[in-house]
Amino acid sequence: MKSYIPGNFKIDRDADKCIACEVCVRQCSYEVHAYDAEEDAVQADESLCTGCQRCVVFCPTEALGVQPNSNPGSKNQGHWTDNDRKRVLKQAETGGVLLTGMGTDKPYPIYWDNMVLNASQVTNPSIDPLREPMELRTYLGRKPDMLEIESRDTCPSLKTTLAPQLKLEVPILFSAISYGAVSYNVCESMARASKAAGTFWNTGEGGLHKNLHGYGNNTIVQVASGRFGVDKNYLDVAAAVEIKIGQGAKPGIGGHLPGEKVTEPISETRMIPVGTDAISPAPHHDIYSIEDLSQLIYALKEATNYTKPICVKIAAVHNAAAIASGIVRAGADIIAIDGIRGGTGAAPTVIRDNVGIPIELALAAVDQRLRDEGIRNQASIIAAGGFRNSADIVKAIALGADAVYIATSALIAIGCTVCQMCYTGKCPWGITTQQPHLVKRINPDIATERLTNLLRGWALEIKEMLGGMGINAIESLRGNRLHLRGVGLTDTELDILGILPAGR
Amino acid sequence: MKKVYPKEDVCIGCRLCEIHCLVQHSKSKDIIKAFKKEFPRALKRIRVEEKRPVSFAVQCRHCSDAPCVAACLTGAMSKDERGAVLHNPDKCIGCWTCIMVCPFGAIQTDKRGKRIVAKCDLCPGEETPVCVVHCPNRALVYEER
Amino acid sequence: MRLHRFEKDISGCSLTGFIHQDGKRVTGEDIMKSIACMHDRSNGLGGGFAAYGIYPDFKDHYALHLLFDTMKSKEETEHYLNQNFLIDVEEKIPTRKIPAIKNPPILWRYFLNPKRESREEAGLSEDDFVVQAVMKINSEIDGAFVMSSGKNMGAFKAVGFPEEVGEFYKLEEYKAWTWIAHGRFPTNTPGWWGGAHPFTLLDWSIVHNGEISSYGINKRYLEMFGYKCTLMTDTEVIAYLFDLFLRRHKLSIPLACKILAAPFWSDIERMEPKEQELMQTLRIVYGSGLANGPFAILLGHRGGLVGLNDRVKLRPLVVARKNETVYMSSEESGIREICPDPDEVWAPKAGEPVIAELKNKHVL
């Protein structure tokens, strides 16, 4: 049937600047631009444009502009926005489930922007991180309530054995991004950057490509509902194992890798046939209640000989605090909570945009609940879901997180423009694609440098903010909500976040 | 001596190297004028070979034992003190023997006037050849091996 | 979740203390002289003392020093105490009227012990039972606050310059082997007697100069173990942290100090393997007990006196010794005022505790 949906973008080519060099023609993986030899000019088929901005960035004369197309718009933009109308039309044309990529773009409140930080003045000196030691080192894992020390007069020695810990030089890890959702080169870059920065990356549910086994000491492997790639080697090589119960972008449903992206190497790593959709089941079919989770946690601990921390990742949902408490008591060493802004390679739009809660509220609730129950030390908390900058991270740590997971910001660092078309497998930036000529577009040397730079820049900024608060060790900020104040929040929101309003 | 080497595994076939080589060898050295106002257009001395997913840039390799230098009838092709192979247009008679002997096909015809040849000159006056500077994916490196 | 309404009071600014390690008891005159010498470090909005060995006739009783805003608070508190404790003596804390100390609250002391049935029903040790009672009175009974709750020791605090506070409480009539004193320089409005130092719990008393930037997390960490931080100043957490680490977790004083003033990771990496493992694990497990921000503290307890600086020594602390007496003070002048000719004087390093033990245990 004829489609009533106009192109989403309008392409503006400045004729005075265009030199018909055809760089845009070659860079566009959606075949939007084409060179017309007769006219000696480059033309564009706007209906195919996804607004990924690749051509704009690569055009050597900056002759291109790509803007959202609001034509024809409905008069009622207050209720029926263009996106809402287009989605109805799309479903009328296909009868299918609308898919999208990356995190939700709905204007839910961003609580980070309603919290401000303290600085020390007069009564307490601020600390200059360029001249004084400033410690960001963080250990993730289960900690006992107290230590048993054998006190011999001159030389006390430790009797308690500490549960296995992950040692981070910065409180930032790369979140789960599956090999399959992204290309091999992206995985290699995250692995190399984690090693360089002294932190960890997460395989997501794509399994671990054999060439990356060498980075095992910096790798957290994920055991998700599809159990892709899970075998003995996988567990042996890793530094920690994460059971993925859910993710912030699509709480309640499993991962989704469209068949177009399941190539030979993906098939080998995930242990599934080439070209088949890899749709993970919604629940783990062996975890229907909390005691089943405890069984899996201990099965993994046995399989890894109790030498590696076991993490459980959940999406932030209404009951997050109670669920988290259950997970800690079930034996998890680390809990990761992923908020509604979390990203994905493919998810139904309606789920991505409507299911889940913001990480700020979930984190505050979980941290407080675990403290109320006296079990906060039994598991470290990693917060995830749309961290944009180092201030978001500092605020998360002040609310109670031990560390944060970043994914969208990491992909943006290596070129992603958040066009939300990851599920097509044609990412012109070379990130969420398996097509070899596109995969080349991520040079792991460059991407590793970009990721390490990002972590380094953020670490320096975190140190500046800590120093400003008169703190020289990050454990003094962790859960220290008195360094936060709320601006423009309701009493209930302040209460849930556990912070005072600015002015008090 | 330092030469330009291609790295096939990260070449994305964008041909920005070709574009900037052309601009560097134009009269105006301005990208818009070079393409839209100069007639005849300047010549690029580098060319991207592509058969997806393989692609890489080809230019004069400044061979230590350069066949073009040996074949040149007039001495227009010569090696300078660092070892670079340079082309002197004043001496060139356009016999195109060098084009035939170059194993890389790195020399091309220059039909803009005297019908001579053109090839990579390592961008004299620039610290780093412009193809290397402008490659967005570090698929060209300028180093000594 | 309800937050305590917390208006931060900053902890300045003069402290001093000494211990006669041989158990010799002296009056409060010396300590008052020492703190008066550092008059300009405070602003008259708070002063206080703690003394050990002052109730030899009641050494086996818990001596509760309480302050009450109203008679109603006193009645409510006494009702609670009578239900749970056997009170042997209760009396007004002796004071003298001086113009500098205005509007004193009702000041009363009780020599008591937990009722065995109440304690057994709660399933707590005597000390824990008393701690629970202190937390309850401070957080639940309006207008009632416990100044000290130890045996054979007491805290005396008020709004005023410390030497005036000492005069008010007639400290020249008490004799103790350990005296500590503090003068405040708070930066908000006065009138809060409970906010003066020292902060005490059982036999622990703390005087503190500085500001704890990790207060928010120290407080939440302690709350997990049942401590309630109600006295509106960050010094309170130090007293409770020492109670937790020393009494409940049975760590040694040097190790507890290494939690509060933790060594840097770069220093830990240079330690010998056994010490390295211990310090690393200590820091990993007790990170929420690290007291960040500038501090100089004196910890008084029945076994002696400890002085400690923060891990980068951002507040002054000077220590001196003469014969069997150890002096610790914000300024050397405070020491020389009462000990003009010490055998040795030194400034302790950042994070290194100075531990002076009561050698003569017979007096306990």
Side-chain angles (χ1 to χ4, degrees), chain A residues 195-333:
Chain A
K195 188 165 173 193
T199 182
F200 297 84
W201 70 293
N202 188 312
T203 61
E205 45 187 324
L208 182 64
H209 191 287
K210 54 184 191 262
N211 291 0
L212 294 176
H213 281 216
Y215 295 98
N217 287 341
N218 294 85
T219 309
I220 300 175
V221 298
Q222 207 181 61
V223 170
S225 57
R227 306 287 158 91
F228 296 122
V230 180
D231 69 357
K232 184 177 181 303
N233 281 337
Y234 188 65
L235 299 178
D236 280 344
V237 144
V241 183
E242 179 177 270
I243 300 174
K244 177 205 175 185
I245 300 293
Q247 68 182 101
K250 42 184 162 171
I253 66 175
H256 181 176
L257 186 65
E260 301 92 322
K261 292 169 92 174
V262 183
T263 57
E264 187 63 55
I266 302 284
S267 155
E268 188 187 330
T269 306
R270 288 204 183 200
M271 304 174 195
I272 57 173
V274 173
T276 51
D277 280 345
I279 300 185
S280 309
H284 287 244
H285 283 298
D286 56 356
I287 304 179
Y288 285 168
S289 185
I290 188 73
E291 63 272 23
D292 296 339
L293 174 64
S294 186
Q295 194 174 63
L296 181 62
I297 291 174
Y298 281 98
L300 288 168
K301 287 191 179 184
E302 289 280 330
T304 55
N305 233 342
Y306 295 86
T307 57
K308 303 176 200 228
I310 304 297
C311 175
V312 175
K313 175 178 176 182
I314 55 168
V317 292
H318 303 312
N319 232 357
I323 297 170
S325 168
I327 291 175
V328 172
R329 292 176 195 281
D333 301 303

Side-chain angles (χ1 to χ4, degrees), chain A residues 112-127:
Chain A
W112 305 126
D113 293 340
N114 286 82
M115 289 190 263
V116 287
L117 296 166
N118 193 20
S120 291
Q121 288 188 111
V122 178
T123 54
N124 192 344
S126 50
I127 300 177

Side-chain angles (χ1 to χ4, degrees), chain C residues 51-274:
Chain C
Y52 290 77
I54 51 174
Y55 299 128
D57 298 331
F58 290 99
K59 34 175 146 152
D60 296 319
H61 288 73
Y62 290 90
L64 253 57
H65 284 198
L66 273 111
L67 58 87
F68 302 110
D69 287 343
T70 61
M71 282 308 287
K72 183 158 175 298
S73 325
K74 179 167 181 291
E75 278 155 20
E76 223 182 300
T77 308
E78 283 172 355
H79 178 71
Y80 169 76
L81 287 175
N82 276 309
Q83 276 183 325
N84 295 287
F85 294 87
L86 289 168
I87 304 178
D88 273 333
V89 174
E90 56 182 283
E91 59 190 9
K92 190 171 175 308
I93 299 179
T95 59
R96 59 159 67 85
K97 237 178 144 57
I98 56 171
I101 306 290
K102 304 184 187 9
N103 302 320
I106 301 167
L107 296 161
W108 218 260
R109 63 186 172 198
Y110 304 81
F111 295 94
L112 41 67
N113 275 304
K115 277 188 182 164
R116 194 161 56 85
E117 319 84 68
S118 312
R119 186 178 65 74
E120 278 172 5
E121 204 184 303
L124 297 172
S125 67
E126 285 200 338
D127 279 348
D128 278 322
F129 190 73
V130 172
V131 168
Q132 188 188 73
V134 169
M135 296 288 147
K136 194 178 158 72
I137 295 171
N138 285 344
S139 60
E140 291 176 30
I141 303 184
D142 262 342
F145 288 94
V146 180
M147 279 199 291
S148 58
S149 50
K151 289 185 179 172
N152 200 5
M153 60 80 70
F156 304 86
K157 45 197 205 178
V159 172
F161 281 100
E163 55 274 20
E164 293 161 353
V165 173
E167 206 191 320
F168 172 76
Y169 280 109
K170 300 200 199 178
L171 292 185
E172 73 279 2
E173 290 179 5
Y174 294 86
K175 285 179 154 194
W177 57 73
T178 295
W179 282 97
I180 64 176
H182 183 270
R184 279 188 87 201
F185 199 135
T187 46
N188 70 348
T189 51
W192 172 222
W193 280 49
H197 299 205
F199 283 96
T200 68
L201 188 65
L202 301 175
D203 297 318
W204 315 111
S205 62
I206 300 274
V207 289
H208 165 227
N209 169 213
E211 181 175 328
I212 304 176
S213 47
S214 55
Y215 173 86
I217 183 55
N218 298 140
K219 170 176 177 294
R220 296 179 76 217
Y221 173 66
L222 287 165
E223 279 166 4
M224 260 177 43
F225 296 97
Y227 295 90
K228 298 199 177 65
C229 301
T230 52
L231 298 174
M232 301 205 284
T233 143
D234 47 9
T235 309
E236 197 183 357
V237 295
I238 302 193
Y240 301 163
L241 284 171
F242 275 117
D243 183 61
L244 177 66
F245 300 146
L246 297 175
R247 187 176 60 85
R248 286 168 63 176
H249 288 190
K250 304 203 187 342
L251 296 171
S252 65
I253 292 181
L255 277 183
C257 290
K258 284 286 179 227
I259 294 176
L260 267 76
F264 288 97
W265 293 118
S266 50
D267 290 332
I268 294 178
E269 270 156 26
R270 286 197 284 268
M271 291 177 182
E272 294 296 313
K274 197 150 135 285

Side-chain angles (χ1 to χ4, degrees), chain A residues 44-249:
Chain A
D45 179 355
E46 291 173 335
S47 68
L48 301 171
C49 179
T50 62
C52 74
Q53 308 290 325
R54 180 82 175 177
C55 58
V56 173
V57 171
F58 272 68
C59 173
T61 57
E62 291 166 6
L64 285 167
V66 174
Q67 309 294 344
N69 178 17
S70 53
N71 257 337
S74 88
K75 213 165 159 192
N76 185 4
Q77 290 294 325
H79 186 71
W80 285 100
T81 64
D82 288 337
N83 270 339
D84 294 321
R85 285 178 52 244
K86 285 179 189 172
R87 286 173 185 159
V88 171
L89 282 171
K90 193 106 201 263
Q91 293 194 285
E93 284 165 25
T94 59
V97 170
L98 295 176
L99 284 187
T100 185
M102 300 308 275
T104 183
D105 50 19
K106 276 183 87 161
Y108 294 116
I110 302 177
Y111 291 95
W112 305 126
D113 293 340
N114 286 82
M115 289 190 263
V116 287
L117 296 166
N118 193 20
S120 291
Q121 288 188 111
V122 178
T123 54
N124 192 344
S126 50
I127 300 177
D128 182 353
L130 295 177
R131 298 188 176 89
E132 310 279 346
M134 184 65 67
E135 300 181 301
L136 298 184
R137 187 175 296 173
T138 302
Y139 286 87
L140 300 178
R142 181 167 285 251
K143 295 160 179 90
D145 283 349
M146 51 187 274
L147 286 180
E148 258 191 80
I149 316 273
E150 186 117 46
S151 243
R152 252 157 292 143
D153 284 324
T154 46
C155 199
S157 68
L158 192 59
K159 270 172 85 178
T160 317
T161 329
L162 201 57
Q165 308 283 318
L166 291 181
K167 176 175 157 186
L168 280 63
E169 296 301 335
V170 287
I172 311 171
L173 308 94
F174 292 113
S175 190
I177 309 182
S178 72
Y179 172 46
V182 295
S183 65
Y184 174 83
N185 288 4
V186 173
C187 295
E188 184 190 319
S189 309
M190 288 193 292
R192 286 166 59 181
S194 329
K195 188 165 173 193
T199 182
F200 297 84
W201 70 293
N202 188 312
T203 61
E205 45 187 324
L208 182 64
H209 191 287
K210 54 184 191 262
N211 291 0
L212 294 176
H213 281 216
Y215 295 98
N217 287 341
N218 294 85
T219 309
I220 300 175
V221 298
Q222 207 181 61
V223 170
S225 57
R227 306 287 158 91
F228 296 122
V230 180
D231 69 357
K232 184 177 181 303
N233 281 337
Y234 188 65
L235 299 178
D236 280 344
V237 144
V241 183
E242 179 177 270
I243 300 174
K244 177 205 175 185
I245 300 293
Q247 68 182 101

